[in-house]
Amino acid sequence: MVASAFLPELWTEILIPVCAVVGIVFSLFQWFIVSRVRVSADQGASSSSGGANNGKNGYGDYLIEEEEGVNDQSVVAKCAEIQTAISEGATSFLFTEYRYVGVFMVIFAAIIFVFLGSVEGFSTENKPCTYDDTKTCKPALATAAFSTIAFILGAVTSVLSGFLGMKIATYANARTTLEARKGVGKAFIVAFRSGAVMGFLLAASGLLVLYITINVFKIYYGEDWEGLFEAITGYGLGGSSMALFGRVGGGIYTKAADVGADLVGKIERNIPEDDPRNPAVIADNVGDNVGDIAGMGSDLFGSYAEASCAALVVASISSFGINHDFTAMCYPLLISSMGILVCLITTLFATDFFEIKAVKEIEPALKNQLIISTVIMTVGIAIVSYVGLPSSFTIFNFGAQKVVKNWQLFLCVCVGLWAGLIIGFVTEYYTSNAYSPVQDVADSCRTGAATNVIFGLALGYKSVIIPIFAIAVSIFVSFSFAAMYGVAVAALGMLSTIATGLAIDAYGPISDNAGGIAEMAGMSHRIRERTDALDAAGNTTAAIGKGFAIGSAALVSLALFGAFVSRAGVHTVDVLTPKVIIGLLVGAMLPYWFSAMTMKSVGSAALKMVEEVRRQFNTIPGLMEGTAKPDYATCVKISTDASIKEMIPPGCLVMLTPLIVGFFFGVETLSGVLAGSLVSGVQIAISASNTGGAWDNAKKYIEAGVSEHAKSLGPKGSEPHKAAVIGDTIGDPLKDTSGPSLNILIKLMAVESLVFAPFFATHGGHLLLWSLVYNQNALEQLERLDMAFESTIKKDLFGRLHQVYRKQMFDGGEVHSVRKKTEQKLLNSGFVLPINGSSPSFKKKL
């Protein structure tokens, strides 16, 4: 008898929702503190947030006297006006996007229900369980219905996560600008607290909704945990499908505006970034929120949901599910619960325990967040593994049960957690202008844009090496200890500090917007220097956030892949089989196709934006002199229309590929496609994100001129600076559209395949069936079969045999007998079956 977890079930049912609620309350508390910074023309209101912190980190301080004009009422009113314009533009875009996405959600929910319900002909009869035929499980129609509900819940949660993140960011940007009048430390605190609001709200709400969904579904499913957690996979699919459109649509929006503003404003007209005379400046600032905030929020929520679903599916057919050990089954949720508490403590180090007093302290403070959270989380994982797992248990491993110790699973989670930290620091090294790689890229601008592009591409390719080794080691260690379940919890380990990761990621766009508002409001140069310093650190943290997202996507995709092949009955994927290798080739091609579509979309939208900005500069009298106001609304509309139109083809490519391949070519070919896209997509995503980040910070390195080397390349408007701007413009769609979207591609195709696995296993491979039925030799073979058996084969070529083979792990007498009779009948008919437990197929006997 396998021992149960140390933590009683009742305590598990209490602890998980309590931790989620604590995270939500903490996020609201952070929002309350930020809200005390007033955006109004009332003198002193913006500094009336004192009291609670006794002046620490600037609360309660008066505006520094040496800043000329900081108390000007018109400046504060201008900040409020700009903030309102950015918020309204972002809200308008997201509502437009969500209308289109809502239509997709309804259509795809119907597809899920019809496809999964058809697995057993919409039967309402209970069936023998796949992995234990001595028990009865709920019908496929129930799985279809509950998967559809889970899909909608995941989609709605993802949409709300992105929308709330955007609202928080647009609420905080002007407040960060106003606090910068008192010092860089005060502005940092507002930006970071605002990022923490998003981080904790997303992490906690995702955990709470998933936990409630499991418990509500359990009322119907009862002891059928296999069916319950198969239905839960729809939650991850819903989260990632919304993230795809949010990332692609938001990325196209922000980069169309950014490229248009830079090419005309900075290069052709030689005006500063975020200059209010630039017609695309509001659209550019709106884009930071809808792309980097809403898109990233939905992206990491999707990763969390998918990693949890993959772990739960594998666990449901392991000893946790077989013995109905609820605490051990909820181990992935307990990790996430502990992560919320750890991130809460970590946040206090940046907001309360220490004070930022100088620009040089900003980046170390953000990096320390990663280190502190990782160290404390390691202890937290040890506690959760001790109280939440039995000392010994079994994990499903491709047709067999593998014995695992709780300390081995602890190591699986830790290896993912520390791999994430390594990826974060490697990303920082290759994208921060404090280190030689970016400085070398900046130096290459001496000879023009061409050498800048060459150096940037080389940096991106080189930056892939260490992250890939970190991911490879994580996979090897976690799989060796606990098979695919180990890989899934390793992904959760990397995502366990998601609240801190999102906080430092959201900090970047908030700081970027703050700088734009300072420029547009006409605030002093010293204030803009402070917001630029915040923004430079934010660029690096944004790159670190993308590194986390890509690394976790690789582990999540592999875990989902393992769950898919288990659920579809594929025991081995033979790369020497033609139908698998063509899948590998096509899968490896998909990230290139997807990147081409998204980058061309950015180019098309940017072309329209450039033409509009040029038109306004050429036709509006007094625009360059600052006596006339540009038409911001037209540029916002161009970005909105272009992004909505252009996000549909890439989205359809990702969503339709698994359905087409699985239905027409079968589960083995689909396995090849998933493996190929994973291997190819991770490489392209890392190199694209890091190349773009390096070009961006090389430009900022020249603009800041903080060293003698940087001063020799400047100032703004010099030829090296113009070359750096061109490199940054090329890198924008790489780091903010194509690169971040690729990790969603590999995750989404994997989780979609997992959800539709029963349908593909039963009805997939239609082209193979067609070639079999209409091949003359095959027809001659089929004529030897008796009519009943021939009918069975023609109706369902693979489905019945798949079910038989999937039951071999519980090889009872009845199953063994059925399998032997089936094999003998096929052999008598002139067909042979493959050996070594691979998927059944029909081959002409030699």
Side-chain angles (χ1 to χ4, degrees):
M1 183 70 179
V2 179
S4 60
F6 179 79
L7 186 68
E9 181 177 330
L10 177 62
W11 276 100
T12 303
E13 293 181 346
I14 294 172
L15 280 175
I16 294 174
V18 165
C19 290
V21 171
V22 166
I24 293 172
V25 170
F26 184 73
S27 71
L28 295 177
F29 175 70
Q30 297 293 320
W31 172 82
F32 172 72
I33 295 176
V34 172
S35 69
R36 296 169 71 184
V37 180
R38 304 293 182 188
V39 182
S40 68
D42 180 21
Q43 183 174 353
S46 63
S47 58
S48 64
S49 54
N53 290 299
N54 299 319
K56 190 164 188 177
N57 284 322
Y59 290 102
D61 292 349
Y62 291 100
L63 303 180
I64 53 177
E65 296 296 327
E66 62 266 25
E67 287 293 334
E68 184 177 354
V70 292
N71 289 317
D72 189 345
Q73 302 301 307
S74 63
V75 170
V76 182
K78 185 68 174 175
C79 287
E81 178 187 342
I82 297 166
Q83 181 192 52
T84 301
I86 294 172
S87 180
E88 289 177 351
T91 303
S92 174
F93 166 74
L94 286 184
F95 274 128
T96 304
E97 180 184 59
Y98 291 158
R99 281 201 297 271
Y100 285 86
V101 168
V103 174
F104 159 81
M105 189 193 308
V106 172
I107 294 173
F108 206 77
I111 291 174
I112 293 173
F113 180 77
V114 172
F115 279 28
L116 294 185
S118 68
V119 170
E120 295 176 359
F122 298 96
S123 171
T124 57
E125 299 291 328
N126 286 351
K127 59 178 181 178
C129 296
T130 304
Y131 298 99
D132 187 356
D133 59 352
T134 63
K135 298 178 181 178
T136 57
C137 290
K138 301 298 182 182
L141 188 61
T143 302
F146 283 95
S147 294
T148 304
I149 295 170
F151 169 80
I152 294 172
L153 285 173
V156 170
T157 307
S158 180
V159 165
L160 287 177
S161 297
F163 182 78
L164 291 175
M166 179 278 299
K167 294 300 288 184
I168 292 160
T170 54
Y171 182 81
N173 49 17
R175 288 169 167 79
T176 303
T177 305
L178 293 174
E179 286 295 275
R181 299 181 301 169
K182 296 189 290 184
V184 71
K186 291 74 175 174
F188 170 83
I189 290 297
V190 172
F192 188 80
R193 284 190 187 276
S194 304
V197 176
M198 175 185 175
F200 282 92
L201 197 59
L202 186 148
S205 60
L207 173 64
L208 188 61
V209 173
L210 179 58
Y211 179 76
I212 292 173
T213 304
I214 290 171
N215 279 275
V216 171
F217 283 15
K218 200 164 70 165
I219 296 173
Y220 170 78
Y221 277 98
E223 297 298 302
D224 179 15
W225 284 19
E226 178 192 325
L228 164 64
F229 291 104
E230 283 188 358
I232 287 295
T233 57
Y235 186 75
L237 176 59
S240 253
S241 58
M242 297 302 105
L244 173 69
F245 291 106
R247 259 302 192 190
V248 173
I252 294 170
Y253 184 107
T254 181
K255 292 305 107 181
D258 197 2
V259 170
D262 283 354
L263 286 179
V264 181
K266 296 176 74 172
I267 295 180
E268 295 182 8
R269 296 288 174 168
N270 199 25
I271 60 177
E273 187 172 2
D274 298 316
D275 192 296
R277 293 172 291 178
N278 195 323
V281 69
I282 293 293
D284 186 10
N285 282 277
V286 169
D288 290 335
N289 294 287
V290 299
D292 292 338
I293 296 286
M296 174 60 83
S298 295
D299 181 4
L300 286 181
F301 166 77
S303 289
Y304 162 75
E306 288 161 338
S308 300
C309 290
L312 291 169
V313 167
V314 178
S316 69
I317 55 178
S318 303
S319 64
F320 299 156
I322 295 170
N323 299 328
H324 293 87
D325 188 342
F326 184 76
T327 297
M329 191 72 206
C330 289
Y331 180 69
L333 305 187
L334 289 171
I335 292 174
S336 301
S337 301
M338 177 61 73
I340 290 173
L341 301 180
V342 167
C343 291
L344 190 154
I345 296 170
T346 305
T347 300
L348 300 179
F349 281 88
T351 58
D352 294 271
F353 296 162
F354 297 97
E355 184 176 2
I356 302 295
K357 296 180 180 179
V359 168
K360 64 181 180 180
E361 297 175 1
I362 297 173
E363 201 163 312
L366 294 170
K367 287 161 62 177
N368 288 339
Q369 287 286 295
L370 298 175
I371 298 171
I372 294 168
S373 62
T374 301
V375 171
I376 301 177
M377 190 62 199
T378 303
V379 179
I381 294 167
I383 296 171
V384 170
S385 300
Y386 175 72
V387 302
L389 293 172
S391 59
S392 179
F393 46 89
T394 62
I395 293 297
F396 180 75
N397 180 27
F398 297 107
Q401 293 286 344
K402 178 182 176 68
V403 178
V404 180
K405 306 290 186 183
N406 56 6
W407 63 266
Q408 292 177 311
L409 210 55
F410 159 73
L411 291 178
C412 291
V413 183
C414 284
V415 75
L417 175 67
W418 285 90
L421 184 66
I422 292 170
I423 291 172
F425 278 113
V426 170
T427 303
E428 189 234 358
Y429 175 74
Y430 280 104
T431 57
S432 172
N433 55 31
Y435 302 105
S436 60
V438 171
Q439 292 175 10
D440 289 343
V441 171
D443 190 69
S444 70
C445 295
R446 293 178 185 273
T447 51
T451 48
N452 181 29
V453 171
I454 293 169
F455 270 69
L457 289 173
L459 178 147
Y461 297 151
K462 190 175 180 180
S463 70
V464 171
I465 299 169
I466 297 177
I468 290 300
F469 276 116
I471 294 169
V473 170
S474 301
I475 292 170
F476 178 79
V477 172
S478 56
F479 189 87
S480 299
F481 282 147
M484 280 300 177
Y485 187 74
V487 177
V489 295
L492 275 172
M494 194 176 288
L495 293 165
S496 59
T497 54
I498 185 175
T500 295
L502 272 171
I504 65 175
D505 190 76
Y507 157 89
I510 292 170
S511 300
D512 193 0
N513 266 202
I517 291 172
E519 182 78 43
M520 286 183 279
M523 300 177 79
S524 70
H525 179 67
R526 285 188 62 189
I527 293 176
R528 184 59 204 252
E529 284 181 344
R530 292 167 182 167
T531 57
D532 282 348
L534 295 172
D535 184 26
N539 274 336
T540 301
T541 60
I544 291 174
K546 293 182 180 77
F548 266 101
I550 295 165
S552 63
L555 295 178
V556 168
S557 300
L558 184 58
L560 291 166
F561 177 77
F564 161 72
V565 295
S566 297
R567 195 177 178 194
V570 181
H571 293 289
T572 57
V573 180
D574 186 357
V575 296
L576 298 179
T577 306
K579 58 186 174 182
V580 174
I581 200 165
I582 62 172
L584 285 170
L585 290 172
V586 171
M589 173 271 296
L590 286 175
Y592 290 93
W593 189 0
F594 180 84
S595 297
M597 295 173 78
T598 52
M599 291 187 70
K600 186 177 179 182
S601 296
V602 171
S604 300
L607 181 63
K608 296 176 183 176
M609 185 67 70
V610 167
E611 291 173 347
E612 174 60 23
V613 174
R614 282 175 177 165
R615 182 195 68 79
Q616 292 196 32
F617 273 121
N618 292 330
T619 60
I620 298 179
L623 183 57
M624 274 299 293
E625 293 75 20
T627 57
K629 187 176 180 180
D631 181 7
Y632 298 126
T634 300
C635 292
V636 170
K637 186 176 187 304
I638 288 173
S639 270
T640 301
D641 293 346
S643 58
I644 295 298
K645 175 185 176 183
E646 299 288 348
M647 76 177 183
I648 296 174
C652 290
L653 172 67
V654 177
M655 298 300 294
L656 294 179
T657 295
L659 294 177
I660 293 171
V661 174
F663 182 74
F664 288 107
F665 297 96
V667 291
E668 289 185 324
T669 303
L670 181 55
S671 299
V673 170
L674 297 179
S677 65
L678 168 60
V679 172
S680 171
V682 171
Q683 324 284 338
I684 302 173
I686 294 175
S687 63
S689 295
N690 290 348
T691 293
W695 276 327
D696 191 355
N697 274 343
K699 177 199 70 175
K700 285 183 166 55
Y701 176 77
I702 296 173
E703 291 175 347
V706 294
S707 67
E708 290 301 320
H709 176 246
K711 289 176 182 176
S712 69
L713 299 172
K716 291 182 180 180
S718 65
E719 290 304 315
H721 178 250
K722 289 182 178 179
V725 171
I726 292 172
D728 176 38
T729 305
I730 297 170
D732 276 337
L734 289 174
K735 72 180 175 68
D736 290 325
T737 308
S738 298
S741 300
L742 282 173
N743 66 75
I744 303 178
L745 175 143
I746 59 178
K747 291 183 303 182
L748 182 52
M749 292 208 308
V751 73
E752 184 180 349
S753 301
L754 173 60
V755 169
F756 287 101
F759 175 78
F760 296 147
T762 304
H763 299 298
H766 274 255
L767 284 183
L768 299 178
L769 175 61
W770 181 88
S771 65
L772 174 68
V773 171
Y774 288 93
N775 180 276
Q776 187 60 39
N777 292 332
L779 282 174
E780 292 173 2
Q781 295 287 339
L782 285 171
E783 287 173 2
R784 302 181 191 176
L785 303 175
D786 60 85
M787 294 302 295
F789 198 64
E790 178 182 356
S791 176
T792 300
I793 291 176
K794 285 185 175 179
K795 283 181 180 176
D796 182 1
L797 182 59
F798 295 111
R800 177 169 295 186
L801 287 175
H802 267 293
Q803 294 297 318
V804 172
Y805 271 78
R806 289 169 67 186
K807 291 176 183 176
Q808 288 185 58
M809 55 175 286
F810 300 101
D811 197 9
E814 183 180 350
V815 174
H816 186 74
S817 174
V818 170
R819 183 167 65 88
K820 284 297 182 184
K821 289 179 180 178
T822 306
E823 289 178 351
Q824 190 58 49
K825 199 146 196 175
L826 286 169
L827 290 170
N828 293 340
S829 304
F831 285 84
V832 293
L833 287 164
I835 58 174
N836 298 328
S838 57
S839 299
S841 59
F842 294 82
K843 301 177 182 178
K844 186 175 179 181
K845 200 170 187 178
L846 296 177

